C-alpha cells in the first residue's frame, strides 16, 4: 500500500460518476464552511421561532379579552404560579437561595455568594426545578434570570458596587492588619470564585435534571453598548467588554443556549440608534455561540419586548420591529422571546391594546419573518440549515417579497400567507444569505450528510449517493 504524504487527500468513490457529478463534488468540498454547525431547531425544524413570555392569560381571566397567539411556536407566562411551560423563567425567588442585597442594603440569603452554602442552595434549586418543570423530558427554554450581581468583579459597577463593598468588608472583618491592596485582591478573588461556582453549579444541576432543556442565563452575553447618547454612536461593543465576554468561557461551556436582550428605549433618539444597538448585541451573541467546547453552536434566543423599556405601553414601530426581530433573524439567531409583565394586563384597556398590536403589526411581521426564514432554509439549505447574512453589517432581511406574497388578517386575529417565492426571490436570497448547517449536515447548501468520522454522503446530480471518504495520513516515510 502506498502511503500518502502528510496532509494529502484521498477520495474513494463507491460508484463511477459523470464529469458533472465530479465537478459538483469539487464544488461541495471547496464550499464546506469552517463555521461550527448549528443545533437542530427545537420546533418542527423551523429555523427561526417566536416565543411568547407574557402573562396575557390574565386578560382572558380578568376581562374576557382573548389573544390569538398562533404565530408563536412557544408560549409561556412568567407568573410564579405557572408550571410545566415550554418557556420557563427562573427569577431570584424561584431557584434555590440566590444571595442579593435590596436597594436599602438588606442582605437576602447572605447577600454575597461567599455567604451562602452552595450545597443548601442546590438542594433547594433541585426542588424548584421539579416544581416548575415537572416533566423530565422537558425540551423547552429554561431561562435563569439573575441580575443583581455579575460574576466578574469589574462589571459590578453603579448600584452593583455594593457587592464589591461588602466583599471588601468581609475580608476586613475576617483578617486583621491587611493592606488595602491585599483586601482588594482577596475580595475580588473570593467573590469571583464563589460567583462562578454558584452560577456554574446551578446550571449544571438544571442540565442534569432536565438534560433536554435549553438552559441559559438571561442577559448573557451582554455587549454593554449602552452609550447610545454619545456623539457618533456606532453600537459597537467596547473592546474591553468583548474581552470580558471571552473570559466567561466557563459559562458558555456550561450553557445549552444564550439569551441576550435587545430591550430598547424610546429615548434612544431614533430608529438608527435602535438598529445599531440591536445589531451589535445580536452579533456578539452569535460570536460567543461558536466559542464553546460543544460540538454545535449554542442556539441564540433574543429577548425583546412589545414596547420600549421607558414607555412599555408604547409599542414598537414597524421600523423598530425590523431593527430588533428582523435583525435577530437575519444574523442567524434561533428565535426571539417576547417578554412582558403585569403592566400589559393591569386593565381591560391595556389588554385590548396588546390584542390590537398582536392582531396587526406584530403578528403580521412575526409571520412574515418566520415564513421567510423557512422559505430560505428550504430552498438554499435543503431544510438542513438556517440562512444568515453573508455580510453581517448589511441591511438585508429575511422578508417575504410583497410582489410574491400576501399576508391576510382574519377577524379572529389569525394570519394567512398566500403566494410562493419566484425565481427572482430565491436568487436574491442566494445573493444575500448563506447557510449555517444544522449538526449532521455540511456543504454550501447543507445537502451533504455527515455519516461517520472521515466520511460523508452526498447526493449526486442524478440523485444517487456518492460516499466520499477523506483520509489524512500523518505517517512519514
Amino acid at each position: 500500500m502506498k502511503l500518502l504524504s502528510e496532509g494529502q487527500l484521498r477520495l474513494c468513490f463507491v460508484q463511477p460518476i459523470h464529469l458533472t457529478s465530479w465537478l459538483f463534488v469539487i464544488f461541495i468540498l471547496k464550499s464546506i464552511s469552517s463555521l461550527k454547525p448549528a443545533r437542530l431547531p427545537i420546533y418542527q425544524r423551523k429555523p427561526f421561532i417566536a416565543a411568547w413570555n407574557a402573562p396575557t392569560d390574565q386578560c382572558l381571566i380578568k376581562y374576557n379579552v382573548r389573544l390569538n397567539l398562533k404565530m408563536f411556536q412557544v408560549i409561556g407566562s412568567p407568573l410564579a404560579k405557572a408550571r410545566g411551560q415550554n418557556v420557563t423563567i427562573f427569577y431570584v425567588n424561584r431557584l434555590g437561595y440566590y444571595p442579593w442585597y435590596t436597594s436599602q442594603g438588606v442582605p437576602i440569603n447572605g447577600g454575597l455568594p461567599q455567604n451562602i452554602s452552595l450545597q443548601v442552595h442546590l438542594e433547594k434549586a433541585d426542588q424548584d426545578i421539579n416544581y416548575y418543570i415537572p416533566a423530565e423530558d422537558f425540551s423547552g427554554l429554561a431561562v435563569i434570570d439573575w441580575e443583581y450581581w455579575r460574576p466578574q468583579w469589574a462589571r459590578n459597577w453603579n448600584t452593583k458596587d455594593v457587592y464589591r463593598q461588602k466583599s471588601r468588608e468581609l475580608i476586613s472583618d475576617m483578617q486583621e492588619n491587611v493592606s488595602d491592596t491585599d483586601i482588594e485582591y482577596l475580595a475580588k478573588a473570593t467573590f469571583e470564585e464563589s460567583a462562578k461556582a454558584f452560577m456554574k453549579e446551578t446550571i449544571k444541576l438544571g442540565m442534569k435534571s432536565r438534560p433536554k432543556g435549553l438552559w441559559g442565563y438571561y442577559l448573557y452575553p451582554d455587549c454593554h453598548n449602552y452609550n447610545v447618547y454619545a456623539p457618533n454612536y456606532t453600537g459597537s461593543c467596547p473592546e474591553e467588554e468583548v474581552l470580558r465576554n471571552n473570559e466567561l468561557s466557563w459559562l458558555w461551556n456550561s450553557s445549552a443556549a444564550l439569551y441576550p436582550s435587545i430591550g430598547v428605549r424610546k429615548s434612544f433618539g431614533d430608529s438608527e440608534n435602535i438598529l445599531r444597538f440591536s445589531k451589535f448585541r445580536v452579533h456578539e451573541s452569535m460570536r460567543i455561540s461558536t466559542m464553546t467546547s460543544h460540538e454545535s453552536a449554542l442556539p441564540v434566543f433574543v429577548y425583546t419586548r412589545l414596547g420600549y423599556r421607558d414607555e412599555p405601553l408604547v409599542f414598537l414601530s414597524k421600523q423598530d420591529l425590523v431593527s430588533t426581530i428582523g435583525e435577530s433573524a437575519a444574523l442567524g439567531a434561533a428565535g426571539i422571546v417576547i417578554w412582558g409583565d403585569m403592566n400589559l394586563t393591569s386593565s381591560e384597556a391595556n389588554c385590548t391594546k396588546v390584542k390590537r398590536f398582536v392582531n396587526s403589526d406584530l403578528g403580521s411581521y412575526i409571520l412574515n419573518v418566520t415564513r421567510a426564514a423557512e422559505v430560505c432554509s428550504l430552498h438554499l439549505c435543503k431544510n438542513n440549515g438556517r440562512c444568515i447574512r453573508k455580510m453581517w453589517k448589511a441591511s438585508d432581511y429575511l422578508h417575504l417579497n410583497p410582489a410574491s406574497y400576501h399576508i391576510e388578517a382574519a377577524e379572529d386575529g389569525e394570519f394567512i400567507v398566500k403566494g410562493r417565492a419566484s425565481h427572482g426571490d430565491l436568487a436574491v436570497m442566494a445573493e444575500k444569505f448563506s447557510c449555517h448547517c444544522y449538526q449532521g449536515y455540511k456543504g454550501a447548501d447543507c445537502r451533504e450528510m455527515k455519516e461517520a468520522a472521515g466520511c460523508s454522503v452526498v447526493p449526486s446530480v442524478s440523485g444517487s449517493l456518492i460516499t466520499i471518504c477523506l483520509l489524512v495520513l500523518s505517517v512519514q516515510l
Side-chain angles (χ1 to χ4, degrees):
M1 175 181 177
K2 184 179 179 181
L3 294 177
L4 301 177
S5 61
E6 184 175 3
Q8 195 171 348
L9 202 62
R10 170 176 291 170
L11 301 182
C12 314
F13 299 98
V14 299
Q15 67 177 60
I17 59 174
H18 298 294
L19 177 61
T20 53
S21 297
W22 167 254
L23 293 175
F24 173 75
V25 170
I26 295 298
F27 168 76
I28 288 292
L29 289 173
K30 288 187 175 181
S31 301
I32 292 175
S33 172
S34 60
L35 186 65
K36 186 175 288 189
R39 178 169 173 158
L40 283 168
I42 65 170
Y43 185 85
Q44 296 181 356
R45 225 172 178 85
K46 289 184 178 293
F48 185 77
I49 69 160
W52 181 265
N53 193 204
T56 45
D57 55 323
Q58 299 300 302
C59 289
L60 180 62
I61 295 171
K62 293 180 178 179
Y63 312 110
N64 198 33
V65 176
R66 183 186 301 273
L67 275 70
N68 190 325
L69 301 174
K70 287 187 177 180
M71 69 287 296
F72 293 93
Q73 290 75 44
V74 177
I75 299 174
S77 170
L79 296 184
K81 65 180 181 180
R83 302 174 59 212
Q85 303 183 108
N86 287 330
V87 52
T88 299
I89 188 165
F90 291 96
Y91 295 114
V92 295
N93 59 343
R94 299 184 195 174
L95 189 62
Y97 295 113
Y98 177 79
W100 59 286
Y101 283 93
T102 68
S103 57
Q104 291 76 35
V106 178
I108 306 297
N109 298 325
L112 297 172
Q114 304 97 296
N115 288 338
I116 184 73
S117 165
L118 181 58
Q119 184 59 39
V120 171
H121 158 73
L122 292 175
E123 289 173 359
K124 175 63 163 57
D126 189 46
Q127 297 173 13
D128 292 334
I129 291 171
N130 288 326
Y131 176 80
Y132 285 107
I133 309 179
E136 294 184 1
D137 62 346
F138 168 81
S139 60
L141 313 184
V143 188
I144 303 173
D145 185 9
W146 290 349
E147 301 179 52
Y148 284 95
W149 46 262
R150 302 184 182 110
Q152 291 164 297
W153 181 264
R155 280 179 162 171
N156 286 302
W157 51 65
N158 295 338
T159 58
K160 293 177 174 57
D161 187 54
V162 63
Y163 297 95
R164 295 191 288 202
Q165 296 174 14
K166 296 297 183 180
S167 294
R168 296 184 189 105
E169 292 176 10
L170 187 63
I171 296 298
S172 296
D173 293 342
M174 292 173 59
Q175 302 187 37
E176 298 180 357
N177 302 320
V178 181
S179 68
D180 290 344
T181 301
D182 288 342
I183 288 175
E184 187 72 13
Y185 173 81
L186 292 171
K188 177 179 182 292
T190 55
F191 172 83
E192 289 191 335
E193 181 182 1
S194 298
K196 175 181 177 179
F198 204 88
M199 294 182 70
K200 186 175 181 179
E201 292 303 315
T202 300
I203 200 168
K204 181 179 177 181
L205 172 66
M207 300 275 280
K208 180 180 179 181
S209 178
R210 301 294 183 267
K212 294 181 180 179
L214 294 177
W215 290 87
Y217 284 92
Y218 169 71
L219 208 54
Y220 287 87
D222 195 342
C223 171
H224 292 283
N225 59 342
Y226 298 106
N227 58 328
V228 290
Y229 307 111
N232 303 316
Y233 175 71
T234 65
S236 61
C237 311
E239 184 178 348
E240 61 184 358
E241 297 304 330
V242 172
L243 294 175
R244 286 169 181 163
N245 280 341
N246 292 345
E247 293 170 359
L248 287 174
S249 58
W250 58 267
L251 182 57
W252 319 135
N253 286 329
S254 301
S255 302
L258 300 178
Y259 295 100
S261 172
I262 53 172
V264 298
R265 296 180 181 273
K266 191 72 172 175
S267 60
F268 280 3
D270 57 43
S271 290
E272 279 300 312
N273 275 352
I274 287 175
L275 173 60
R276 297 183 188 110
F277 177 81
S278 302
K279 185 190 295 286
F280 279 89
R281 294 177 73 80
V282 177
H283 181 258
E284 172 67 358
S285 297
M286 297 307 299
R287 183 186 73 87
I288 293 294
S289 73
T290 64
M291 289 177 53
T292 72
S293 58
H294 300 297
E295 292 183 357
S296 59
L298 294 177
V300 175
F301 297 95
V302 183
Y303 262 81
T304 185
R305 303 184 180 210
L306 294 180
Y308 302 92
R309 290 179 63 92
D310 48 351
E311 297 185 47
L313 291 174
V314 176
F315 298 146
L316 297 183
S317 67
K318 289 183 179 181
Q319 180 56 51
D320 291 341
L321 287 174
V322 174
S323 299
T324 52
I325 298 173
E327 196 67 27
S328 299
L331 288 173
I336 51 104
V337 183
I338 294 183
W339 180 88
D341 59 15
M342 292 299 290
N343 283 329
L344 300 177
T345 63
S346 60
S347 69
E348 184 176 359
N350 287 356
C351 285
T352 302
K353 189 173 184 179
V354 171
K355 180 178 180 177
R356 281 200 300 265
F357 186 51
V358 171
N359 289 357
S360 56
D361 291 351
L362 179 66
S364 176
Y365 186 68
I366 285 178
L367 187 59
N368 188 329
V369 172
T370 53
R371 182 63 61 86
E374 291 175 34
V375 171
C376 191
S377 173
L378 177 63
H379 291 281
L380 264 63
C381 315
K382 309 306 177 188
N383 214 29
N384 298 323
R386 64 172 53 93
C387 294
I388 58 174
R389 273 189 194 135
K390 288 183 178 179
M391 304 294 292
W392 74 271
K393 287 186 178 181
S395 299
D396 304 317
Y397 293 96
L398 290 167
H399 289 163
L400 298 175
N401 183 355
S404 303
Y405 289 92
H406 179 62
I407 299 177
E408 295 181 356
E411 290 185 3
D412 62 355
E414 196 162 347
F415 292 92
I416 301 173
V417 178
K418 294 183 178 180
R420 60 183 301 173
S422 67
H423 292 299
D425 296 337
L426 300 180
V428 170
M429 283 184 172
E431 178 187 355
K432 304 295 186 182
F433 293 87
S434 59
C435 294
H436 186 190
C437 300
Y438 301 141
Q439 194 170 12
Y441 298 90
K442 296 171 65 177
D445 60 0
C446 305
R447 76 168 65 204
E448 182 182 351
M449 295 179 291
K450 188 175 181 182
E451 189 179 58
C455 292
S456 298
V457 175
V458 184
S460 71
V461 174
S462 62
S464 57
L465 292 178
I466 305 168
T467 300
I468 304 175
C469 300
L470 305 179
L471 179 61
V472 180
L473 298 181
S474 58
V475 180
Q476 294 183 345
L477 295 175

